[in-house]
Amino acid sequence: MLSQSYPLSGPVSGAGDRRPDGLSRDIHVARGRSRRIVQAAAAGVIAFGWLSLLAGCSRDAGHPVLALHGETMGTTYSIQVVEAPPGRSPEALQQRIDDLLEQVNALMSTYRPDSQLSRFNADRASDWFPVSPELAEVVSLAQQISRVSGGAFDVTVGPLVDLWGFGPEVKPDRLPAQEAIDAALATTGYGHLSVRERPAALRKALPGLHVDLSAIAKGYGVDRVAELLESEGLVDYLVEIGGELRGRGRNGHGEPWRIAVERPDAASRSVFRVVALRDVGMATSGDYRNFFELDGRRYSHSIDPSTGWPVTHALASVTVLDPRCARADALATALLVLGPEAGPALARSLAVAALFISREADGYRAEATEAFEAYVATADAPDP
């Protein structure tokens, strides 16, 4: 879908609802509620203070903005480009974007049996399995985040996700037995996965090892689209796929792109904090929209890969800023799993720009790393 728009404010980043297809692996249960794979970044976008004007309207409100919208990876994408050069075909640009995202799906979807990743998952041999350089790149980054987080991020936890009812099956009406959890744990573990970049290949040490890139693929898709735009000479843009974002330059009013971090409240959607996005990627992971309740207790989609159980700490939301949206995507998930103490500690040790929002008896408590506050101060500062 194409339109000319003049955005008055940016989207809200937080936990959202998406369709049960593609890479997101969401299951829509009821209005305002979805249940989702643990390692997905749990970030969505809701319209907030948004005004779109059809092509042909006055440009007095700011520079014209080309808005492109579509579907990919089981979710939606939204792209805004400020002052696209005259004569450039919006339809041709969108076709290039759609073709690029289709390539990512063809490599990394777990819903397509013929995707490269699905074929690797189906192969039970322990030999090197040739893959594309792009797939090897994403798995390599995922493994890096797994190592630095001590396994809090793990792209092999699919069996545990399914066991707890956050996969494509209907949620169970009882908790899984510890014996079933132990059996699923025995088939997971990032240490059983190897990646080689030259020549590009993957290898599994367990025949039944299954890789799911839901928690990083959307961020990777954002990065690829941003690179495509820059290759076209477009330097003022905002790219969003399923809530993961990357912005560069200025919006139609000559100001930084402003993104609202969502308050982690399952009952409503409201703004917690607004962040100026300038030349950086952004991802939010939260536990407040993807969960189920049983016997009065909430079970989050965020599963600790070391125990096989949903996390029970008070950390509700983590937002990460990083030049690579894929890295922000994976780190947000890892830091959420680690919790309100280990998460900020790791973020500070890695100089990660992160915002943590925890539940307290009287509301919410926010904690930002020094790198996050430094970035926000720089992004909000006027140009020299």
Side-chain angles (χ1 to χ4, degrees), residues 74-311:
T75 184
T76 60
Y77 72 76
S78 174
I79 299 166
Q80 298 179 66
V81 179
V82 180
E83 287 195 304
R88 188 183 300 273
S89 167
E91 292 81 6
L93 178 59
Q94 179 144 31
Q95 188 61 57
R96 290 194 63 190
I97 291 169
D98 286 340
D99 290 346
L100 174 62
L101 294 174
E102 171 60 24
Q103 293 171 16
V104 175
N105 263 316
L107 293 176
M108 303 177 194
S109 173
T110 55
Y111 278 79
R112 298 185 182 184
D114 61 342
S115 77
Q116 202 167 83
L117 185 59
S118 290
R119 287 187 280 114
F120 169 72
N121 286 337
D123 185 47
R124 298 180 63 84
S126 59
D127 301 325
W128 284 107
F129 185 94
V131 298
S132 67
E134 293 83 2
L135 181 55
E137 176 190 359
V138 174
V139 173
S140 179
L141 176 58
Q143 292 294 85
Q144 291 174 29
I145 303 303
S146 294
R147 288 190 291 270
V148 300
S149 67
F153 182 81
D154 191 334
V155 295
T156 74
V157 297
L160 288 164
V161 170
D162 294 340
L163 184 63
W164 280 96
F166 292 105
E169 303 299 326
V170 177
K171 80 175 184 67
D173 58 3
R174 67 191 66 181
L175 299 183
Q178 185 60 50
E179 292 80 5
I181 295 173
D182 292 340
L185 280 169
T187 67
T188 66
Y190 75 93
H192 301 296
L193 174 66
S194 300
V195 57
R196 185 180 70 191
E197 296 190 16
R198 295 184 181 177
L202 303 179
R203 185 170 65 183
K204 60 180 71 174
L206 296 176
L209 196 73
H210 184 278
V211 176
D212 190 314
L213 299 175
S214 302
I216 193 171
K218 291 191 297 298
Y220 175 74
V222 168
D223 290 332
R224 290 294 305 277
V225 172
E227 292 165 4
L228 185 155
L229 295 177
E230 292 177 12
S231 73
E232 294 280 325
L234 305 173
V235 295
D236 294 291
Y237 60 77
L238 180 67
V239 178
E240 176 267 325
I241 300 177
E244 323 303 1
L245 307 105
R246 179 165 154 179
R248 180 178 176 184
R250 300 281 178 159
N251 64 18
H253 295 281
E255 301 171 346
W257 301 100
R258 297 192 180 276
I259 310 300
V261 177
E262 190 177 29
R263 183 180 300 277
D265 184 354
S268 64
R269 284 187 158 174
S270 59
V271 174
F272 187 86
R273 179 170 179 173
V274 176
V275 178
L277 209 61
R278 185 187 294 188
D279 304 333
V280 74
M282 176 179 180
T284 296
S285 182
D287 71 348
Y288 52 98
R289 294 199 185 280
N290 306 302
F291 63 89
F292 70 87
E293 293 182 345
L294 194 62
D295 298 329
R297 182 175 178 183
R298 172 189 291 194
Y299 294 90
S300 164
H301 74 288
S302 298
I303 295 176
D304 185 341
S306 66
T307 66
W309 281 76
V311 297

